[in-house]
């Protein structure tokens, strides 16, 4: 059976879908059969970042309602034969999701894939709850700011009590911290929380720190996960993140500001 991984956060706009796309792509690049599902019914952004928006014929809700088979709705990635995307519906609301339907779809996917990545909507309402309910592991995405970290702390409360694992007394969903849009220069100026600050507040293991990078926006606009933007810090950071998730011991990078040389200090370059 597939391992189900939810990518979640309390606050919107922190990089969940960017992380879902790069995480799923990174798993597939390492040879794992991977499916990534957009749970954000009514909005739908994952297909844009994955570059397959024009190929969406059937969506997640169509499958839940029996209007299409899973095989009809899954979109095969153009670059990776072992990566598939299940898009969200833009015309329905989140009430279209049901626990029974989600469980059935995840069960079907579990027979064919090694990993199923669930891209959760922000917040703690129904769509987010269903995205995390059946998870084995969770990537909790947050920015280094107080409001984002506080909202992520609320999500950790749900992960510890409102999942199938918790309700069945099977322990907790395994939680991983992903800190996005990190800028060590701004941290040094006191404009952002540090990695240690966030770790102290949330008290879950750090999986990855993604530096603030123009490459994220550029890749999203181009319809490609940023992990494929070779030679960029953001791609390297997501590559490290996937490797750590799979058990490889990699040091964390991009945590400190580059030291300026003599000319940099003199001329501000």
């Amino acid at each position: 059976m597939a391992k189900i991984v939810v990518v979640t956060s309390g606050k919107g706009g922190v990089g969940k879908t960017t992380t879902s796309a790069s995480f799923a792509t990174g798993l597939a690049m390492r040879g794992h059969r991977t499916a990534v599902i957009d749970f954000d019914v009514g909005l739908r952004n994952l297909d844009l970042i994955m570059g397959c928006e024009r190929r969406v014929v059937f969506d997640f809700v169509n499958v839940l309602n029996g209007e299409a088979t899973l095989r009809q709705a899954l979109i095969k990635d153009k670059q990776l034969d072992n990566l598939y995307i299940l898009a969200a519906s833009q015309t329905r609301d989140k009430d279209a999701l049901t626990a029974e339907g989600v469980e059935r779809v995840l069960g079907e996917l579990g027979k064919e894939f090694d990993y199923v990545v669930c891209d959760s909507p922000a917040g703690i309402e129904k769509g987010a709850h269903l995205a995390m309910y059946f998870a084995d592991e969770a990537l909790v995405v947050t920015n280094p700011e107080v409001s984002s970290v506080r909202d992520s702390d609320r999500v950790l409360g749900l992960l510890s009590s409102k999942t199938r694992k918790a309700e069945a007394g099977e322990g907790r969903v395994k939680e991983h911290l992903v800190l996005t849009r990190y800028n060590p220069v701004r941290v040094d100026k006191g404009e952002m929380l540090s990695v240690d600050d966030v770790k102290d507040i949330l008290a879950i293991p750090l999986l990855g720190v993604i530096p603030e990078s123009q490459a994220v926006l550029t890749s999203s606009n181009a319809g490609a996960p940023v992990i494929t933007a070779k030679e960029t810090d953001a791609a390297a950071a997501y590559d490290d993140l996937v490797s750590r998730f799979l058990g490889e011991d990699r040091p964390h990078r991009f945590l400190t500001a580059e030291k300026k040389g003599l000319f940099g200090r003199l001329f501000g370059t």
Side-chain angles (χ1 to χ4, degrees):
M1 289 294 287
K3 180 169 285 187
I4 300 171
V5 184
V6 63
V7 180
T8 185
S9 76
K11 194 172 186 289
V14 299
K16 278 187 309 303
T17 301
T18 295
T19 296
S20 296
S22 284
F23 179 61
T25 300
L27 291 171
M29 289 166 68
R30 284 160 176 76
H32 300 285
R33 281 184 59 81
T34 306
V36 57
I37 307 175
D38 191 346
F39 272 77
D40 204 355
V41 175
L43 292 178
R44 198 172 94 184
N45 288 312
L46 179 65
D47 56 307
L48 291 170
I49 291 179
M50 299 295 291
C52 63
E53 71 278 6
R54 295 183 181 178
R55 299 164 58 207
V56 177
V57 178
F58 297 109
D59 57 49
F60 191 10
V61 174
N62 291 139
V63 177
L64 292 176
N65 291 343
E67 298 159 353
T69 66
L70 192 54
R71 191 170 297 276
Q72 287 175 310
L74 283 171
I75 302 169
K76 186 178 181 180
D77 185 73
K78 289 182 178 180
Q79 307 300 324
L80 297 164
D81 290 340
N82 54 347
L83 176 61
Y84 288 79
I85 301 97
L86 182 56
S89 171
Q90 284 184 304
T91 59
R92 315 288 180 94
D93 61 32
K94 292 177 176 59
D95 289 336
L97 299 179
T98 65
E100 296 78 12
V102 170
E103 183 176 22
R104 174 175 57 80
V105 171
L106 291 176
E108 289 182 42
L109 290 169
K111 298 172 185 175
E112 294 191 39
F113 291 92
D114 302 317
Y115 290 95
V116 178
V117 179
C118 301
D119 180 27
S120 172
I124 55 175
E125 41 64 56
K126 184 177 181 180
H129 179 239
L130 286 175
M132 73 172 64
Y133 185 75
F134 299 99
D136 300 302
E137 303 196 32
L139 271 55
V140 180
V141 183
T142 189
N143 292 158
E145 57 181 59
V146 172
S147 62
S148 180
V149 174
R150 180 186 62 189
D151 288 348
S152 292
D153 196 35
R154 295 179 68 194
V155 168
L156 290 175
L158 294 178
L159 286 168
S160 68
S161 61
K162 298 292 186 181
T163 64
R164 181 169 62 176
K165 273 181 171 288
E167 292 176 358
E170 298 174 356
R172 296 173 65 111
V173 170
K174 187 176 181 181
E175 300 150 342
H176 308 272
L177 174 61
V178 179
L179 187 57
T180 56
R181 295 178 183 163
Y182 194 73
N183 185 329
V185 173
R186 294 183 62 191
V187 171
D188 290 346
K189 292 179 180 178
E191 297 172 358
M192 282 184 173
L193 297 174
S194 70
V195 171
D196 288 338
D197 291 335
V198 178
K199 287 170 62 179
D200 287 346
I201 295 168
L202 296 181
I204 59 174
L206 178 66
L207 184 66
V209 176
I210 313 302
E212 196 169 47
S213 171
Q214 179 63 34
V216 173
L217 180 59
T218 302
S219 296
S220 296
N221 288 339
V226 71
I227 196 171
T228 64
K230 302 300 184 183
E231 310 303 325
T232 67
D233 288 351
Y238 274 117
D239 186 71
D240 287 348
L241 180 154
V242 175
S243 295
R244 290 189 201 98
F245 181 84
L246 294 173
E248 187 177 330
D249 184 17
R250 286 200 183 186
H252 288 281
R253 298 187 278 173
F254 316 113
L255 305 186
T256 56
E258 287 187 17
K259 299 296 184 184
K260 290 185 178 181
L262 175 61
F263 284 99
R265 293 195 300 272
L266 288 176
F267 302 106
T269 59

